[in-house]
Coordinates of all heavy atoms in Angstrom, one line a residue:
M11 N -4.8 3.2 0.7 CA -4.5 1.9 1.4 C -5.5 0.9 0.9 O -6.7 1.2 0.8 CB -4.5 2.1 2.9 CG -3.5 3.2 3.4 SD -1.9 2.8 3.0 CE -1.5 1.5 4.2
Y12 N -5.2 -0.3 0.9 CA -6.0 -1.4 0.5 C -6.5 -2.1 1.7 O -5.8 -2.4 2.7 CB -5.3 -2.4 -0.5 CG -6.0 -3.6 -0.6 CD1 -7.2 -3.7 -1.3 CD2 -5.7 -4.7 0.1 CE1 -7.9 -4.9 -1.4 CE2 -6.4 -5.9 0.1 CZ -7.5 -6.0 -0.8 OH -8.2 -7.1 -0.8
R13 N -7.7 -2.5 1.7 CA -8.4 -3.3 2.8 C -9.1 -4.3 2.0 O -9.9 -4.1 1.1 CB -9.3 -2.4 3.6 CG -9.9 -3.0 4.8 CD -8.8 -3.5 5.8 NE -9.4 -4.5 6.7 CZ -9.2 -5.7 6.7 NH1 -8.2 -6.2 6.0 NH2 -9.8 -6.5 7.5
R14 N -8.9 -5.6 2.3 CA -9.3 -6.7 1.5 C -10.9 -6.7 1.4 O -11.4 -7.0 0.3 CB -8.8 -8.1 2.0 CG -9.6 -8.7 2.9 CD -9.0 -10.1 3.3 NE -9.2 -10.2 4.7 CZ -8.2 -10.4 5.6 NH1 -7.0 -10.6 5.2 NH2 -8.4 -10.5 6.8
N15 N -11.6 -6.6 2.4 CA -13.1 -6.4 2.4 C -13.6 -5.9 3.7 O -12.8 -6.0 4.7 CB -13.8 -7.6 1.8 CG -13.7 -8.8 2.9 OD1 -14.0 -8.6 4.0 ND2 -13.2 -9.9 2.4
N16 N -14.8 -5.5 3.8 CA -15.3 -4.9 5.0 C -16.3 -5.9 5.7 O -16.7 -5.5 6.8 CB -16.0 -3.6 4.8 CG -15.0 -2.5 4.4 OD1 -14.7 -2.3 3.3 ND2 -14.5 -1.9 5.5
T17 N -16.3 -7.1 5.2 CA -17.2 -8.1 6.0 C -16.3 -8.4 7.3 O -17.0 -8.7 8.3 CB -17.4 -9.3 5.2 OG1 -16.2 -9.9 4.7 CG2 -18.3 -9.0 4.0
H18 N -15.1 -8.4 7.2 CA -14.2 -8.7 8.4 C -14.5 -7.6 9.5 O -14.6 -8.0 10.8 CB -12.7 -8.8 8.1 CG -12.4 -9.9 7.2 ND1 -12.5 -11.2 7.6 CD2 -12.0 -9.9 5.9 CE1 -12.1 -12.0 6.6 NE2 -11.9 -11.2 5.5
E19 N -14.5 -6.4 9.2 CA -14.8 -5.4 10.1 C -16.1 -5.5 10.8 O -16.3 -5.4 12.0 CB -14.6 -4.0 9.4 CG -13.3 -3.5 9.2 CD -12.7 -4.1 8.0 OE1 -13.3 -4.9 7.3 OE2 -11.5 -3.8 7.7
H20 N -17.1 -5.9 9.9 CA -18.5 -6.0 10.5 C -18.5 -7.1 11.5 O -19.0 -7.1 12.5 CB -19.5 -6.3 9.4 CG -20.9 -6.5 9.9 ND1 -21.4 -7.7 10.2 CD2 -21.9 -5.6 10.2 CE1 -22.5 -7.6 10.7 NE2 -22.9 -6.4 10.6
L21 N -17.8 -8.3 11.1 CA -17.8 -9.4 12.0 C -17.1 -9.1 13.4 O -17.6 -9.4 14.4 CB -17.0 -10.6 11.4 CG -16.9 -11.9 12.2 CD1 -18.3 -12.4 12.5 CD2 -16.1 -12.8 11.4
L22 N -15.9 -8.4 13.2 CA -15.2 -8.0 14.5 C -16.0 -7.0 15.3 O -16.1 -7.2 16.5 CB -13.9 -7.4 14.1 CG -12.9 -8.4 13.5 CD1 -11.6 -7.6 13.0 CD2 -12.4 -9.4 14.5
C23 N -16.6 -6.1 14.7 CA -17.3 -5.0 15.5 C -18.6 -5.7 16.0 O -19.0 -5.4 17.1 CB -17.7 -3.9 14.5 SG -16.4 -2.9 14.1
R24 N -19.3 -6.6 15.2 CA -20.5 -7.2 15.7 C -20.3 -8.1 16.9 O -21.2 -8.2 17.7 CB -21.2 -8.0 14.6 CG -22.5 -8.5 14.9 CD -23.5 -7.5 15.2 NE -24.8 -8.0 15.6 CZ -25.2 -8.1 16.9 NH1 -24.5 -7.6 17.8 NH2 -26.4 -8.6 17.1
S25 N -19.1 -8.7 17.0 CA -18.9 -9.5 18.1 C -18.7 -8.8 19.4 O -18.9 -9.4 20.5 CB -17.6 -10.4 17.9 OG -16.4 -9.5 17.8
T26 N -18.5 -7.5 19.4 CA -18.4 -6.7 20.7 C -19.4 -5.5 20.7 O -19.3 -4.8 21.7 CB -16.9 -6.2 20.7 OG1 -16.7 -5.4 19.7 CG2 -16.0 -7.3 20.8
A27 N -20.2 -5.4 19.8 CA -21.1 -4.2 19.7 C -22.4 -4.6 19.1 O -22.6 -5.7 18.6 CB -20.5 -3.1 18.9
S28 N -23.4 -3.7 19.1 CA -24.7 -3.9 18.5 C -24.5 -3.9 17.0 O -23.5 -3.5 16.4 CB -25.6 -2.8 18.9 OG -25.3 -1.5 18.4
E29 N -25.6 -4.4 16.2 CA -25.6 -4.4 14.9 C -25.5 -2.9 14.3 O -24.8 -2.6 13.4 CB -26.9 -5.0 14.3 CG -27.1 -4.9 12.8 CD -26.0 -5.8 12.0 OE1 -25.5 -6.7 12.6 OE2 -25.8 -5.5 10.8
E30 N -26.1 -2.0 14.9 CA -26.0 -0.5 14.5 C -24.6 -0.1 14.7 O -24.1 0.6 13.7 CB -27.0 0.2 15.4 CG -27.0 1.7 15.0 CD -27.9 2.6 15.9 OE1 -28.8 2.0 16.6 OE2 -27.8 3.8 15.9
N31 N -23.9 -0.3 15.8 CA -22.5 0.1 15.9 C -21.6 -0.6 14.9 O -20.7 0.0 14.4 CB -22.0 -0.2 17.4 CG -22.7 0.8 18.3 OD1 -23.2 1.9 17.9 ND2 -22.7 0.5 19.6
A32 N -21.9 -1.9 14.6 CA -21.1 -2.7 13.7 C -21.2 -2.1 12.3 O -20.2 -1.9 11.7 CB -21.5 -4.1 13.7
R33 N -22.4 -1.7 12.0 CA -22.6 -1.0 10.6 C -21.9 0.3 10.6 O -21.3 0.7 9.6 CB -24.1 -0.9 10.3 CG -24.7 -2.2 9.9 CD -26.2 -2.0 9.7 NE -26.8 -3.3 9.2 CZ -26.9 -3.7 8.0 NH1 -26.6 -2.9 7.0 NH2 -27.4 -4.9 7.7
S34 N -21.9 1.1 11.7 CA -21.2 2.3 11.8 C -19.7 2.1 11.6 O -19.0 2.9 10.9 CB -21.6 3.0 13.1 OG -20.8 4.2 13.2
C35 N -19.2 1.1 12.2 CA -17.8 0.8 12.1 C -17.4 0.5 10.7 O -16.3 1.0 10.2 CB -17.5 -0.5 13.0 SG -15.8 -1.1 12.9
V36 N -18.2 -0.3 9.9 CA -18.0 -0.5 8.5 C -18.0 0.7 7.8 O -17.1 0.9 6.9 CB -18.9 -1.6 8.0 CG1 -18.8 -1.7 6.5 CG2 -18.8 -2.9 8.6
G37 N -18.9 1.6 8.0 CA -19.0 2.9 7.4 C -17.7 3.7 7.5 O -17.3 4.3 6.6
V38 N -17.1 3.7 8.7 CA -15.9 4.4 9.0 C -14.8 3.8 8.1 O -14.0 4.6 7.5 CB -15.6 4.4 10.5 CG1 -14.1 4.9 10.7 CG2 -16.6 5.3 11.3
C39 N -14.7 2.5 8.1 CA -13.7 1.8 7.2 C -13.9 2.1 5.8 O -12.9 2.3 5.1 CB -13.7 0.3 7.5 SG -13.2 -0.1 9.1
V40 N -15.1 2.2 5.3 CA -15.3 2.4 3.9 C -14.9 3.9 3.5 O -14.3 4.1 2.5 CB -16.8 2.2 3.6 CG1 -17.1 2.8 2.2 CG2 -17.1 0.8 3.6
D41 N -15.1 4.8 4.5 CA -14.7 6.2 4.3 C -13.2 6.3 4.4 O -12.6 7.2 3.7 CB -15.3 7.0 5.3 CG -16.8 7.2 5.1 OD1 -17.3 6.9 4.0 OD2 -17.5 7.7 6.0
A42 N -12.5 5.6 5.2 CA -11.1 5.7 5.4 C -10.2 4.9 4.5 O -9.0 5.3 4.2 CB -10.8 5.2 6.8
F43 N -10.7 3.8 4.0 CA -9.9 3.0 3.1 C -10.6 2.8 1.7 O -11.8 2.8 1.6 CB -9.7 1.6 3.7 CG -9.0 1.6 5.1 CD1 -9.7 1.5 6.2 CD2 -7.7 1.8 5.1 CE1 -9.1 1.5 7.4 CE2 -7.0 1.8 6.4 CZ -7.7 1.7 7.5
E44 N -9.7 2.6 0.7 CA -10.3 2.1 -0.6 C -10.5 0.7 -0.6 O -9.6 -0.2 -0.3 CB -9.3 2.6 -1.7 CG -9.8 2.2 -3.1 CD -9.0 2.9 -4.2 OE1 -8.2 3.8 -3.9 OE2 -9.2 2.5 -5.3
V45 N -11.7 0.3 -0.9 CA -12.0 -1.1 -1.0 C -11.9 -1.5 -2.6 O -12.6 -1.0 -3.4 CB -13.4 -1.4 -0.6 CG1 -13.8 -2.9 -0.7 CG2 -13.6 -1.0 0.9
C46 N -11.0 -2.4 -2.8 CA -10.7 -2.8 -4.2 C -11.6 -4.0 -4.7 O -11.8 -4.9 -3.9 CB -9.2 -3.2 -4.4 SG -8.2 -1.8 -4.0
E47 N -11.9 -3.9 -5.9 CA -12.7 -5.0 -6.5 C -11.7 -6.1 -6.9 O -10.6 -6.0 -7.3 CB -13.4 -4.5 -7.8 CG -14.1 -5.6 -8.6 CD -14.7 -5.1 -9.9 OE1 -14.4 -3.9 -10.2 OE2 -15.2 -5.9 -10.6
V48 N -12.2 -7.3 -6.5 CA -11.4 -8.5 -6.9 C -12.2 -9.2 -8.1 O -13.3 -9.6 -8.0 CB -11.4 -9.6 -5.8 CG1 -10.6 -10.9 -6.2 CG2 -10.6 -9.0 -4.6
N49 N -11.4 -9.2 -9.2 CA -12.1 -9.8 -10.5 C -11.1 -10.7 -11.1 O -10.0 -11.1 -10.5 CB -12.4 -8.6 -11.4 CG -11.2 -7.7 -11.7 OD1 -10.1 -8.2 -11.8 ND2 -11.4 -6.4 -11.9
T50 N -11.4 -11.2 -12.2 CA -10.6 -12.3 -12.9 C -9.2 -11.7 -13.2 O -8.3 -12.5 -13.0 CB -11.2 -12.6 -14.3 OG1 -12.6 -13.2 -14.0 CG2 -10.4 -13.7 -15.0
R51 N -9.0 -10.5 -13.6 CA -7.7 -10.0 -13.8 C -6.8 -9.9 -12.6 O -5.7 -10.3 -12.6 CB -7.8 -8.6 -14.5 CG -6.5 -8.0 -14.9 CD -6.7 -6.6 -15.6 NE -7.5 -5.7 -14.8 CZ -7.0 -4.8 -13.9 NH1 -5.6 -4.8 -13.8 NH2 -7.7 -3.9 -13.3
I52 N -7.5 -9.6 -11.5 CA -6.7 -9.6 -10.2 C -6.3 -10.9 -9.8 O -5.2 -11.2 -9.4 CB -7.6 -9.0 -9.1 CG1 -7.9 -7.5 -9.4 CG2 -7.0 -9.1 -7.7 CD1 -6.7 -6.5 -9.5
L53 N -7.2 -11.9 -10.0 CA -7.0 -13.3 -9.6 C -5.8 -13.9 -10.4 O -5.0 -14.6 -9.9 CB -8.1 -14.1 -9.6 CG -9.2 -13.8 -8.5 CD1 -10.5 -14.6 -8.8 CD2 -8.7 -13.9 -7.1
Q54 N -5.9 -13.5 -11.7 CA -4.8 -14.0 -12.7 C -3.5 -13.5 -12.2 O -2.4 -14.2 -12.3 CB -5.2 -13.6 -14.1 CG -6.3 -14.5 -14.6 CD -6.8 -14.0 -16.0 OE1 -6.6 -12.9 -16.3 NE2 -7.5 -14.9 -16.7
R55 N -3.4 -12.2 -11.9 CA -2.2 -11.6 -11.5 C -1.6 -12.2 -10.2 O -0.5 -12.6 -10.0 CB -2.3 -10.1 -11.3 CG -1.2 -9.4 -10.6 CD 0.1 -9.3 -11.5 NE 1.1 -8.6 -10.8 CZ 2.3 -9.1 -10.8 NH1 2.7 -10.2 -11.4 NH2 3.2 -8.4 -10.1
A56 N -2.7 -12.4 -9.3 CA -2.2 -13.0 -7.9 C -1.6 -14.4 -8.2 O -0.7 -14.8 -7.4 CB -3.4 -13.1 -7.0
L57 N -2.1 -15.2 -9.1 CA -1.6 -16.5 -9.4 C -0.2 -16.5 -9.9 O 0.6 -17.4 -9.7 CB -2.5 -17.2 -10.4 CG -3.8 -17.8 -9.9 CD1 -4.7 -18.2 -11.1 CD2 -3.6 -18.8 -8.8
K58 N 0.2 -15.3 -10.5 CA 1.5 -15.3 -11.1 C 2.6 -14.7 -10.0 O 3.8 -14.8 -10.2 CB 1.6 -14.3 -12.2 CG 0.8 -14.8 -13.5 CD 0.9 -13.8 -14.6 CE 0.0 -14.4 -15.7 NZ -0.1 -13.4 -16.8
L59 N 2.1 -14.2 -8.9 CA 3.0 -13.7 -7.8 C 3.7 -14.8 -7.1 O 3.1 -16.0 -7.0 CB 2.3 -12.8 -7.0 CG 1.8 -11.5 -7.4 CD1 0.8 -10.8 -6.5 CD2 3.0 -10.6 -7.9
T60 N 4.9 -14.7 -6.6 CA 5.7 -15.7 -6.0 C 5.3 -16.0 -4.6 O 5.8 -17.0 -4.0 CB 7.1 -15.4 -6.2 OG1 7.5 -14.2 -5.5 CG2 7.5 -15.3 -7.7
G61 N 4.6 -15.1 -3.9 CA 4.3 -15.3 -2.5 C 3.6 -16.6 -2.2 O 2.8 -17.0 -3.1
S62 N 3.7 -17.2 -1.1 CA 3.2 -18.5 -0.8 C 1.7 -18.4 -0.2 O 1.0 -19.3 -0.2 CB 4.0 -19.2 0.3 OG 4.1 -18.4 1.5
D63 N 1.3 -17.2 0.2 CA -0.1 -16.9 0.6 C -0.9 -16.3 -0.4 O -0.7 -15.1 -0.8 CB -0.1 -16.1 1.9 CG -1.3 -16.0 2.6 OD1 -2.4 -15.8 1.9 OD2 -1.4 -16.0 3.8
F64 N -1.8 -17.1 -0.9 CA -2.7 -16.6 -2.1 C -3.5 -15.3 -1.7 O -3.5 -14.4 -2.5 CB -3.6 -17.6 -2.7 CG -4.4 -17.3 -3.9 CD1 -3.7 -17.0 -5.1 CD2 -5.7 -17.0 -3.8 CE1 -4.4 -16.6 -6.2 CE2 -6.4 -16.6 -4.9 CZ -5.8 -16.3 -6.1
E65 N -4.0 -15.3 -0.5 CA -4.8 -14.1 -0.1 C -3.9 -12.9 -0.1 O -4.3 -11.8 -0.5 CB -5.4 -14.4 1.3 CG -6.3 -13.2 1.7 CD -7.0 -13.5 3.0 OE1 -8.1 -14.2 3.0 OE2 -6.4 -13.1 4.0
D66 N -2.7 -13.0 0.4 CA -1.8 -11.8 0.4 C -1.5 -11.4 -1.1 O -1.4 -10.2 -1.4 CB -0.5 -12.2 1.1 CG -0.7 -12.3 2.6 OD1 -1.7 -11.9 3.2 OD2 0.2 -12.8 3.3
N67 N -1.3 -12.5 -1.9 CA -1.1 -12.1 -3.3 C -2.2 -11.4 -4.0 O -2.0 -10.5 -4.8 CB -0.8 -13.4 -4.2 CG 0.6 -14.1 -3.8 OD1 1.4 -13.4 -3.2 ND2 0.7 -15.3 -4.2
V68 N -3.4 -11.7 -3.6 CA -4.6 -11.1 -4.1 C -4.6 -9.6 -3.6 O -4.8 -8.7 -4.4 CB -5.9 -11.7 -3.6 CG1 -7.1 -10.8 -3.9 CG2 -6.1 -13.0 -4.3
Q69 N -4.1 -9.4 -2.4 CA -4.1 -7.9 -1.9 C -3.1 -7.2 -2.6 O -3.2 -6.0 -3.0 CB -3.7 -8.0 -0.4 CG -4.9 -8.6 0.5 CD -4.5 -8.6 1.9 OE1 -4.2 -7.5 2.5 NE2 -4.6 -9.8 2.5
I70 N -1.9 -7.8 -2.9 CA -0.8 -7.2 -3.6 C -1.3 -6.8 -5.0 O -1.1 -5.7 -5.6 CB 0.4 -8.0 -3.7 CG1 1.0 -8.2 -2.4 CG2 1.5 -7.4 -4.7 CD1 2.2 -9.3 -2.3
A71 N -2.0 -7.8 -5.7 CA -2.5 -7.5 -7.1 C -3.5 -6.4 -7.1 O -3.5 -5.6 -8.0 CB -3.1 -8.8 -7.6
C72 N -4.4 -6.4 -6.1 CA -5.3 -5.2 -6.1 C -4.6 -3.9 -5.9 O -4.9 -2.9 -6.5 CB -6.3 -5.5 -4.9 SG -7.5 -6.7 -5.1
A73 N -3.6 -3.9 -5.0 CA -2.9 -2.7 -4.7 C -2.2 -2.2 -5.9 O -2.1 -1.0 -6.3 CB -2.0 -2.8 -3.5
E74 N -1.6 -3.1 -6.6 CA -0.8 -2.8 -7.9 C -1.9 -2.2 -8.9 O -1.5 -1.2 -9.6 CB -0.2 -4.0 -8.5 CG 1.0 -4.5 -7.7 CD 1.5 -5.8 -8.3 OE1 0.9 -6.5 -9.1 OE2 2.6 -6.2 -7.8
A75 N -3.0 -2.9 -9.1 CA -3.8 -2.5 -10.1 C -4.4 -1.0 -9.8 O -4.7 -0.3 -10.8 CB -5.1 -3.5 -10.1
R76 N -4.6 -0.7 -8.6 CA -5.1 0.6 -8.3 C -4.0 1.6 -8.0 O -4.3 2.7 -7.6 CB -6.0 0.5 -7.1 CG -7.3 -0.4 -7.3 CD -8.2 0.1 -8.4 NE -8.6 1.5 -8.0 CZ -9.8 1.9 -7.9 NH1 -10.8 1.1 -8.0 NH2 -10.1 3.1 -7.5
A77 N -2.8 1.2 -8.1 CA -1.6 2.1 -7.9 C -1.7 2.8 -6.4 O -1.5 4.0 -6.3 CB -1.4 3.1 -8.9
L78 N -2.0 1.9 -5.6 CA -2.2 2.4 -4.1 C -0.9 2.7 -3.5 O 0.1 2.1 -3.9 CB -3.0 1.4 -3.3 CG -4.4 1.1 -3.8 CD1 -5.1 0.1 -2.8 CD2 -5.2 2.3 -4.0
D79 N -0.9 3.5 -2.5 CA 0.4 3.9 -1.7 C 0.9 2.8 -0.9 O 2.1 2.7 -0.5 CB 0.1 5.1 -0.9 CG -0.3 6.3 -1.7 OD1 0.2 6.5 -2.8 OD2 -1.1 7.1 -1.2
G80 N 0.0 1.9 -0.4 CA 0.5 0.8 0.5 C -0.6 -0.1 0.9 O -1.9 0.1 0.6
I81 N -0.3 -1.1 1.6 CA -1.1 -2.1 2.2 C -0.9 -2.1 3.7 O 0.1 -2.1 4.1 CB -0.8 -3.5 1.6 CG1 -1.0 -3.6 0.1 CG2 -1.7 -4.7 2.3 CD1 -0.4 -4.8 -0.5
L82 N -2.1 -2.1 4.4 CA -2.1 -2.1 5.8 C -2.3 -3.6 6.3 O -3.3 -4.1 5.8 CB -3.1 -1.2 6.4 CG -3.3 -1.1 7.9 CD1 -2.0 -0.7 8.6 CD2 -4.5 -0.3 8.3
T83 N -1.5 -4.2 7.1 CA -1.7 -5.5 7.5 C -1.2 -5.7 8.9 O -0.3 -4.9 9.5 CB -0.9 -6.5 6.5 OG1 -1.2 -7.9 6.9 CG2 0.6 -6.2 6.6
R84 N -1.6 -6.8 9.6 CA -1.1 -7.1 10.9 C 0.2 -7.9 10.7 O 1.1 -8.1 11.6 CB -2.1 -7.9 11.7 CG -3.2 -7.1 12.2 CD -4.1 -8.0 13.0 NE -4.4 -9.3 12.3 CZ -5.6 -9.7 11.9 NH1 -6.6 -9.0 12.3 NH2 -5.8 -10.8 11.3
D85 N 0.4 -8.7 9.6 CA 1.5 -9.7 9.4 C 2.1 -9.4 8.0 O 1.5 -9.7 7.0 CB 0.9 -11.1 9.5 CG 1.9 -12.1 9.3 OD1 3.2 -11.8 9.3 OD2 1.6 -13.2 9.1
K86 N 3.3 -8.9 8.0 CA 4.0 -8.4 6.8 C 4.8 -9.6 6.2 O 5.1 -9.5 5.0 CB 5.0 -7.4 7.1 CG 4.3 -6.0 7.5 CD 5.3 -5.0 8.0 CE 6.3 -4.7 6.9 NZ 7.2 -3.4 7.3
T87 N 4.8 -10.8 6.8 CA 5.5 -11.9 6.3 C 5.2 -12.3 4.9 O 6.0 -12.8 4.1 CB 5.6 -13.2 7.2 OG1 4.2 -13.5 7.4 CG2 6.2 -12.8 8.6
G88 N 3.9 -12.3 4.5 CA 3.4 -12.7 3.2 C 3.6 -11.8 2.2 O 3.2 -12.0 1.0
F89 N 4.2 -10.6 2.5 CA 4.4 -9.5 1.5 C 5.9 -9.2 1.1 O 6.1 -8.2 0.6 CB 3.7 -8.3 2.0 CG 2.2 -8.4 2.3 CD1 1.7 -8.8 3.5 CD2 1.3 -8.1 1.2 CE1 0.4 -8.9 3.7 CE2 0.0 -8.3 1.5 CZ -0.5 -8.7 2.7
A90 N 6.7 -10.1 1.4 CA 8.1 -9.9 1.2 C 8.5 -9.5 -0.2 O 9.4 -8.7 -0.4 CB 8.9 -11.2 1.7
D91 N 7.8 -10.0 -1.2 CA 8.1 -9.7 -2.6 C 7.2 -8.7 -3.2 O 7.2 -8.5 -4.3 CB 8.0 -11.0 -3.4 CG 9.0 -12.1 -3.0 OD1 10.1 -11.7 -2.6 OD2 8.7 -13.3 -3.1
S92 N 6.5 -8.0 -2.4 CA 5.6 -7.0 -2.9 C 6.2 -5.8 -3.4 O 7.2 -5.3 -2.8 CB 4.6 -6.5 -1.7 OG 3.8 -5.5 -2.2
N93 N 5.7 -5.3 -4.6 CA 6.2 -4.1 -5.2 C 5.5 -2.8 -4.5 O 5.9 -1.7 -4.7 CB 5.9 -4.0 -6.7 CG 6.7 -5.1 -7.4 OD1 7.9 -5.3 -7.1 ND2 6.2 -5.6 -8.4
V94 N 4.5 -3.1 -3.7 CA 3.7 -2.1 -3.1 C 4.3 -2.0 -1.6 O 4.4 -3.1 -1.0 CB 2.2 -2.4 -3.1 CG1 1.4 -1.3 -2.4 CG2 1.8 -2.5 -4.5
R95 N 4.4 -0.9 -1.1 CA 4.8 -0.7 0.4 C 3.8 -1.4 1.3 O 2.6 -1.3 1.0 CB 5.0 0.7 0.8 CG 6.2 1.4 0.1 CD 6.4 2.8 0.4 NE 6.7 2.9 1.9 CZ 6.8 4.1 2.6 NH1 6.5 5.1 2.0 NH2 7.1 4.0 3.8
V96 N 4.3 -2.0 2.4 CA 3.5 -2.7 3.3 C 3.7 -2.1 4.7 O 4.8 -2.0 5.0 CB 3.7 -4.2 3.3 CG1 2.8 -5.0 4.3 CG2 3.5 -4.7 1.9
F97 N 2.7 -1.8 5.5 CA 2.8 -1.2 6.7 C 2.0 -2.0 7.8 O 0.9 -2.5 7.5 CB 2.1 0.2 6.7 CG 2.7 1.2 5.7 CD1 2.1 1.2 4.5 CD2 3.8 1.9 6.0 CE1 2.6 2.2 3.6 CE2 4.3 2.8 5.0 CZ 3.7 2.9 3.8
T98 N 2.6 -2.1 9.0 CA 1.8 -2.5 10.1 C 1.1 -1.2 10.6 O 1.4 -0.1 10.2 CB 2.6 -3.0 11.2 OG1 3.5 -2.0 11.8 CG2 3.4 -4.3 10.8
A99 N 0.0 -1.4 11.5 CA -0.6 -0.2 12.1 C 0.4 0.8 12.8 O 0.3 2.0 12.6 CB -1.7 -0.7 13.0
A100 N 1.3 0.2 13.5 CA 2.2 1.0 14.2 C 3.1 1.8 13.3 O 3.4 3.0 13.5 CB 3.1 0.1 15.1
E101 N 3.6 1.1 12.2 CA 4.4 1.8 11.2 C 3.6 2.9 10.5 O 4.2 4.1 10.3 CB 4.9 0.8 10.1 CG 5.9 -0.1 10.7 CD 6.2 -1.3 9.7 OE1 5.3 -1.6 8.8 OE2 7.3 -1.9 9.9
L102 N 2.4 2.7 10.2 CA 1.6 3.7 9.5 C 1.3 4.9 10.4 O 1.4 6.1 10.0 CB 0.3 3.1 9.0 CG -0.6 4.0 8.2 CD1 0.2 4.5 6.9 CD2 -1.9 3.4 7.8
L103 N 1.0 4.6 11.7 CA 0.7 5.7 12.6 C 2.0 6.6 12.9 O 1.9 7.7 13.1 CB 0.2 5.1 13.9 CG -1.2 4.6 13.9 CD1 -1.5 3.9 15.2 CD2 -2.2 5.7 13.6
A104 N 3.1 5.9 12.8 CA 4.3 6.6 13.0 C 4.7 7.7 11.8 O 5.4 8.6 12.0 CB 5.5 5.7 13.2
L105 N 4.0 7.4 10.7 CA 4.2 8.3 9.5 C 3.2 9.4 9.4 O 3.6 10.4 8.7 CB 4.1 7.4 8.2 CG 5.1 6.4 8.0 CD1 4.8 5.5 6.7 CD2 6.5 7.0 7.7
I106 N 2.2 9.3 10.2 CA 1.1 10.4 10.1 C 1.1 11.2 11.3 O 1.8 11.1 12.3 CB -0.2 9.8 9.9 CG1 -0.6 8.8 10.8 CG2 -0.3 9.2 8.4 CD1 -2.1 8.4 10.7

């Protein structure tokens, strides 16, 4: 599964927990998800995708480049044209 980056997890965890707990939270995410590199090739691919949300296009391009099984997101609307399966948390949990 692709996760765009772990700075978001740190920010969310830090807002409700100590710095130590926030870092622990990021560690759990790093262990559970593959963090994909965003480079020039990924950005060029994202620019060619037809979706209207560039950030979602970057996520799709990353997932394609790494041949990932899916993308986990809260909002699937920006992924309508994705060649990679897209899951909400509830959908993913129902599969495992």
